[in-house]
Amino acid sequence: MQPRDLSDHVAYEAGRGIEEVARELGRDPSEFVKLASNENPHGPSPAAAVAIRETASSVSSYPKAAHADLTGAIADRWDVDDEQVWLANGGDGAIDYLSRAVLEPEDTILVPSPGFAYYGMSARFHHGDVREYALEREDDFAQTADDVLSAYDGDRIVYLTSPHNPSGSTIALEEVEAIAAETDADTLVVVDEAYGEFADRESALSLTEGRNGFDARDDITVLRTFSKAYGLAGVRLGYAVVPEAWADAYARVNTPFAASELACRAGLAAIDDDEHVKRTVETTVESRAYMREHIETHVWESEGNFALVDVGDASTVAEEMQDRGVIVRDCSSFGLPGCIRITCGTEDETERAVETLNEILADLELGGNGDGTGDGKRDGDATADTEVADT
Ligand SMILES: *Cc1c(COP(=O)(O)O)cnc(C)c1O
C-alpha cells in the first residue's frame, strides 16, 4: 500500500527548537535562546497557564461549552455575530476550513512570494493549485493592490499577510478594498493578521463589517491566532472571522472539536489578560527598534514580532549563530537565501542576538560599515562569550 502521489506536496519547515539543536550538537539546552519561530518571549498569559492546570481534571469531556464560550468572547471582542467566528486548531486549521469551504478541485489560490508556506500546502491538500505574486525586496516588500492585481487571474482565494511574514511589511486597508473590488465576485480575499496585535493598525474587519468609513464586503475574511501575541502556540488555537453572508458554512466544514477543551479554556483566560498582550507588544516594539538601531547590516522595518535581516549568506550566518547559542530562522526556505529572520526576544535575548550577529558579520567581513558606535565594547564582550561556547 502507498499513499496517493504526494510529489507536489512539500513538508513544512518549522523554526528549529532548542532541544532538537542541543541534542544534535551534544550541548546543554540552557546554552541556547530560540528566536526562530516568532513565539512569545514572556511565555503564555499566566491566567491561561492557570486555566490549563484547572482544566486538566475535566478533559474527559468533549469541548462543547468551552467552544461556545470562547466563540462568544471573540465575537464580543470584534463586535461580530458568534457564527462569524470560525474557531480552529491554530490559524493553520482556520486556513484549512477556508480551503474546504471555498475550493473546488483545480481552483487556484494566489499567495505572496516570499510568504507563509501553509497557504499553498492547504490548497494542495484540497486539490487546488497555487499561483504567486511577488513582493519585491528592492521595494522593501511593499504590498500594493497593483502588484497583487497584475498577478491575479481569476484565482478563488487571494492571501494577503499583514504584517507579512517574513518581512514585517503591512498593507493599507484601502489597498485591500481595491483588491476585493477589482477581483471577481467569487474570489475570497483572506487577510492573515497572525501578527495583527503588533501593528498599530486597524484590522481588515473594518471591511468585512463596514466600519471606519468602509462599505461592508462579503468577500473578505480575517485570520487571527493565539499563537503569537497571546503566547499559546503550543495549545493550537486560531480563528477566522468570516462575513455574515456565508458564516453558516462552518457547521458543514469544521472538524468536530478541533479546538480542544484545553485550548478553549486557555483562550478564554488569555483573551481577558490584556496586561500580558500589552507587555508583549511593548517588549516587541523595543526589541524591533533595538535591532534596527544596532545590527550592523540592513534590517527591514517590521510591524511584526520579528525582523528580517540582510546577512548575505543566510545558511552560514544562521548556522554560525546557532553554534554560538542563538537559534534564528534561515529564510532560504522562504526564497530569501540572503536573509535571516530574528524573533523579538526579551531585552537580554535581543541584546545577545544582536551582539552575536554583529560579531559574526565582523568575522565574515560582511558587516563593517564602520560607524562603530559603542560596538567595539560589545564585540569585545561577545568574543569572550564565543570562546566559552566553542570549548
Ligand atoms: C504563525 C502564523 C500563522 C498561524 O499559526 P498558528 O500557530 O497555526 O496559529 C498564520 N499565518 C502566519 C503568516 C503566521 O506566521
Side-chain angles (χ1 to χ4, degrees), residues 19-363:
E19 298 292 334
E20 177 193 354
V21 170
R23 205 173 304 137
E24 182 184 299
L25 299 178
R27 306 237 303 259
D28 188 326
S30 67
E31 290 172 32
F32 294 89
V33 298
K34 181 190 179 196
L35 299 172
S37 296
N38 301 342
E39 291 151 337
N40 191 320
H42 297 306
S45 147
V50 170
I52 289 171
R53 273 195 293 277
E54 286 177 350
T55 305
S57 57
S58 54
V59 293
S60 47
S61 301
Y62 283 110
K64 211 154 179 228
H67 191 284
D69 290 350
L70 179 58
T71 299
I74 294 168
D76 277 354
R77 152 143 289 192
W78 294 111
D79 197 15
V80 298
D81 291 345
D82 285 13
E83 66 170 11
Q84 289 177 260
V85 177
W86 289 19
L87 272 190
N89 187 265
D92 295 348
I95 291 170
D96 281 336
Y97 290 165
L98 294 171
S99 299
R100 289 183 198 179
V102 173
L103 296 181
E104 298 277 8
E106 290 169 41
D107 277 350
T108 60
I109 68 163
L110 187 65
V111 303
S113 172
F116 188 58
Y118 198 70
Y119 308 143
M121 291 173 68
S122 178
R124 289 189 196 97
F125 297 151
H126 296 87
H127 308 278
D129 281 323
V130 183
R131 302 181 58 257
E132 294 182 340
Y133 61 92
L135 298 183
E136 300 292 348
R137 187 187 148 120
E138 300 75 59
D139 299 335
D140 293 331
F141 307 95
Q143 305 190 55
T144 66
D146 281 352
D147 289 337
V148 175
L149 291 170
S150 65
Y152 173 77
D153 185 19
D155 309 286
R156 190 71 156 96
I157 304 179
V158 174
Y159 278 97
L160 308 173
T161 319
S162 185
H164 173 255
N165 178 6
S167 74
S169 75
T170 53
I171 183 164
L173 295 191
E174 291 73 16
E175 303 288 307
V176 178
E177 184 184 45
I179 291 165
E182 293 294 318
T183 49
D184 297 345
D186 62 359
T187 291
L188 175 66
V189 176
V190 178
V191 186
D192 181 348
E193 297 180 351
Y195 302 99
E197 290 83 0
F198 303 107
D200 195 8
R201 301 200 168 235
E202 284 294 330
S203 167
L205 267 175
S206 299
L207 298 159
T208 310
E209 297 304 300
R211 294 199 277 251
N212 298 311
F214 291 103
D215 290 333
R217 299 200 62 96
D218 69 359
D219 56 356
I220 295 177
T221 282
V222 172
L223 207 71
R224 290 262 171 167
T225 178
F226 283 85
S227 294
K228 312 283 163 54
Y230 291 93
L232 295 177
V235 304
R236 315 300 305 128
L237 183 64
Y239 59 94
V241 183
V242 313
E244 207 187 332
W246 47 276
D248 60 356
Y250 183 62
R252 273 166 283 152
V253 300
N254 84 90
T255 303
F257 309 113
S260 75
E261 178 77 11
L262 290 171
C264 292
R265 292 288 169 207
L268 269 167
I271 201 169
D272 280 336
D273 189 354
D274 293 328
E275 195 50 47
H276 185 71
V277 174
K278 186 163 165 271
R279 174 166 173 245
T280 301
V281 172
E282 279 167 9
T283 301
T284 299
V285 169
E286 279 165 23
S287 172
R288 273 184 337 215
Y290 188 90
M291 286 198 267
R292 259 174 74 79
E293 192 174 336
H294 294 281
I295 289 175
E296 296 194 339
T297 182
H298 183 65
V299 179
W300 277 274
E301 195 145 9
S302 167
E303 296 191 50
N305 66 344
F306 52 86
L308 186 71
V309 185
D310 181 8
V311 294
D313 177 352
S315 75
T316 302
V317 171
E319 200 177 312
E320 195 57 40
M321 286 191 78
Q322 182 178 292
D323 274 352
R324 301 184 199 195
V326 182
I327 308 170
V328 298
R329 183 71 193 257
D330 169 357
C331 289
S332 300
S333 69
F334 283 98
L336 296 171
C339 299
I340 59 171
R341 190 193 64 197
I342 307 177
T343 299
C344 295
T346 60
E347 191 176 339
D348 284 352
E349 289 168 344
T350 302
E351 286 177 10
R352 179 167 166 200
V354 168
E355 188 173 282
T356 305
L357 175 56
N358 282 341
E359 172 196 312
I360 291 166
L361 292 172
D363 287 354

